[in-house]
Amino acid sequence: MIKALKDTRAGGVLPTEEKLKTDFVTLSSHQLRTPLSAIKWFIEILLTQRAGKLNKKQIDYIKEIQRSNERAIALVNDLLQVSRVQEGKLHLDTAEADLAQLVEEAVDAHRSLMTNNNISFHLEIINGPLPIIVVDRVKIRRVISNLLNNAVKYTPRGGSVRVVVKKEPRELVCSFSDTGVGIPVDEQEQLFQRFFRGSNVSKIQPDGTGLGLYIAKSLVEAHKGKIWFESEEGKGTTFYLSLPTTRK
Ligand code: ADP
């Protein structure tokens, strides 16, 4: 039988077994951070070539190590974020924000990826100017980046991605549409579960963790917002993000 144990630090209640698992993930993720940061630092030193001249092959190999290390750092950060969600420790650092600006920042960060993948991009603001909203900018930018990044990652070369931000009476709705691989209909129910990855994406994008959307949903719900999607396999996907404009 699973007993409930009061977690005084979190102020929440998790079943004992769940709490042990979450504690294990939190502790090991923290432990992994230090060596991963050291690897990152030494890779950077090697690439400056101050420790010795490198030939082209050595630079290519070190850059591969750098990419893998960045993926490991991102995974550890995601695991820590998942633990925070499960322990009810999500803290929002809210301030006034312009959603269009947050979207534009995420778009700018993805421009070169879209160009390299030959993906055409379109951004539209409907019913602007948009009202200022009160959100945790870092967390909402992360959600937007995740949705945009997925749209680009899961769209084959030559496809298109369209982002629309629309003012509705009580909320701002942001949609991310792509002409990509879509989500198989019988898997759609699992989409926001931890570690879920579609059976149709493992070959085209072997590196994903399946944690992004789980974290995104928790972050959006912490803002009293909503996240949902429509998708057809082989045709494309649209994700929607809505955030309230009225303070509750
Ligand atoms: P990751 O991208 O690291 O696998 P996410 O949690 O962001 O993790 O996404 C979970 C899964 O949802 C993806 O692996 C993919 O199968 C599916 N998915 C998300 N966005 C899209 C999209 N725009 N098009 C097709 N599949 C998607």
Side-chain angles (χ1 to χ4, degrees):
M1 206 183 88
I2 300 175
K3 278 192 293 175
L5 183 78
K6 177 99 175 118
D7 175 359
T8 45
R9 285 168 313 157
V13 179
L14 277 180
T16 314
E17 258 180 50
E18 273 302 310
K19 183 174 172 350
L20 287 176
K21 272 196 231 159
T22 308
D23 281 355
F24 174 74
V25 172
T26 308
L27 278 174
S28 27
S29 305
H30 272 298
Q31 293 295 326
L32 280 167
R33 263 188 164 177
T34 313
L36 290 174
S37 304
I39 295 171
K40 181 183 166 85
W41 197 68
F42 283 111
I43 289 171
E44 277 161 18
I45 293 179
L46 285 176
L47 286 175
T48 63
Q49 308 207 38
R50 267 184 242 135
K53 186 111 187 75
L54 300 168
N55 64 36
K56 162 118 185 29
K57 210 171 193 174
Q58 288 166 331
I59 293 176
D60 288 347
Y61 287 156
I62 294 175
K63 287 196 170 160
E64 274 304 320
I65 299 172
Q66 188 174 41
R67 270 192 286 276
S68 297
N69 192 53
E70 289 302 330
R71 282 209 299 274
I73 291 172
L75 173 61
V76 163
N77 287 337
D78 278 356
L79 287 171
L80 280 170
Q81 190 72 40
V82 168
S83 301
R84 263 179 232 130
V85 170
Q86 290 187 306
E87 291 173 338
K89 274 194 203 164
L90 254 187
H91 167 74
L92 296 185
D93 195 1
T94 54
E96 294 195 334
D98 174 357
L99 188 65
Q101 192 193 338
L102 295 181
V103 170
E104 274 157 21
E105 284 166 13
V107 170
D108 283 344
H110 281 82
R111 288 247 184 243
S112 59
L113 184 64
M114 293 195 274
T115 312
N116 293 344
N117 290 357
N118 194 21
I119 286 180
S120 63
F121 177 75
H122 186 79
L123 170 65
E124 196 181 343
I125 311 275
I126 300 180
N127 300 340
L130 305 178
I132 293 295
I133 50 173
V134 177
V135 294
D136 182 323
R137 274 184 278 205
V138 173
K139 295 194 170 73
I140 294 301
R141 199 185 292 118
R142 180 194 166 131
V143 173
I144 294 168
S145 276
N146 185 204
L147 296 179
L148 186 59
N149 193 255
N150 282 351
V152 178
K153 263 193 326 195
Y154 300 123
T155 296
R157 292 184 72 78
S160 64
V161 171
R162 180 185 173 88
V163 178
V164 178
V165 189
K166 190 173 176 190
K167 182 169 79 175
E168 299 280 5
R170 290 163 172 270
E171 59 191 0
L172 295 181
V173 181
C174 196
S175 62
F176 303 78
S177 306
D178 65 57
T179 57
V181 297
I183 300 154
V185 70
D186 55 330
E187 297 175 10
Q188 292 187 2
E189 250 182 43
Q190 305 165 58
L191 197 81
F192 292 102
Q193 287 173 13
R194 268 181 303 164
F195 300 113
F196 168 78
R197 300 210 72 218
S199 55
N200 58 338
V201 302
S202 40
K203 276 202 197 103
I204 50 169
Q205 285 290 339
D207 290 337
T209 62
L211 291 173
L213 288 178
Y214 171 81
I215 295 171
K217 187 169 194 283
S218 319
L219 296 178
V220 172
E221 288 175 353
H223 283 84
K224 301 200 173 12
K226 280 177 272 164
I227 184 167
W228 71 102
F229 69 96
E230 290 160 0
S231 182
E232 197 174 335
E233 194 172 3
K235 291 247 168 85
T237 304
T238 299
F239 272 89
Y240 299 88
L241 157 69
S242 101
L243 290 166
T245 45
T246 44
R247 288 183 212 199
K248 289 185 184 155

